Amino acid sequence: MFSSITVIDDELTEGHEQGNGCDCSLDGQSHTMVFTAILHGSDHDLEDTISFFGVHRTAAPDSQIAIIGGTGKYENAKGCATIITLPQVDQHTTDGVDTIVQVNVYLY
């Protein structure tokens, strides 16, 4: 199989994440990612979002992706984010099924 699409709908430390990813390499080590982090503030009626787009290379120590917009206090956000794949104790390689990542956000 050359490609697969993964739907993302996960809880974050401070919010929620929704989007999708697509394997874009024969070996499965590059993933095109498009997702939005929904950040819950103290007022749960209002949500701030940051939208991301880029290629995450799971074999590299980290990958940079673009911040392409947002809403609320992050309206029209621009910047970049670094994605670091965190190793799991019981997992020697990243198989894409249960991958935990750390995302560092840098806004301009």
Side-chain angles (χ1 to χ4, degrees):
M1 176 171 48
F2 176 68
S3 182
S4 64
I5 295 175
T6 304
V7 175
I8 302 167
D9 189 8
D10 295 323
E11 294 295 322
L12 301 174
T13 305
E14 295 284 334
H16 199 77
E17 168 192 29
Q18 293 179 328
N20 62 56
C22 177
D23 290 341
C24 56
S25 65
L26 287 173
D27 60 6
Q29 294 185 0
S30 293
H31 306 278
T32 300
M33 301 183 77
V34 180
F35 64 95
T36 297
I38 304 166
L39 307 170
H40 304 294
S42 57
D43 182 3
H44 289 288
D45 293 334
L46 300 174
E47 294 179 333
D48 302 312
T49 67
I50 301 176
S51 298
F52 302 85
F53 177 82
V55 175
H56 172 46
R57 291 171 177 50
T58 55
D62 59 24
S63 300
Q64 285 75 38
I65 63 172
I67 295 172
I68 57 171
T71 62
K73 66 180 173 183
Y74 301 108
E75 185 172 355
N76 299 320
K78 301 290 181 227
C80 65
T82 302
I83 298 180
I84 302 168
T85 302
L86 301 176
Q88 293 184 3
V89 176
D90 60 345
Q91 184 175 333
H92 298 289
T93 61
T94 301
D95 60 9
V97 176
D98 261 342
T99 302
I100 298 174
V101 297
Q102 174 182 322
V103 179
N104 299 318
V105 176
Y106 306 95
L107 299 174
Y108 304 143

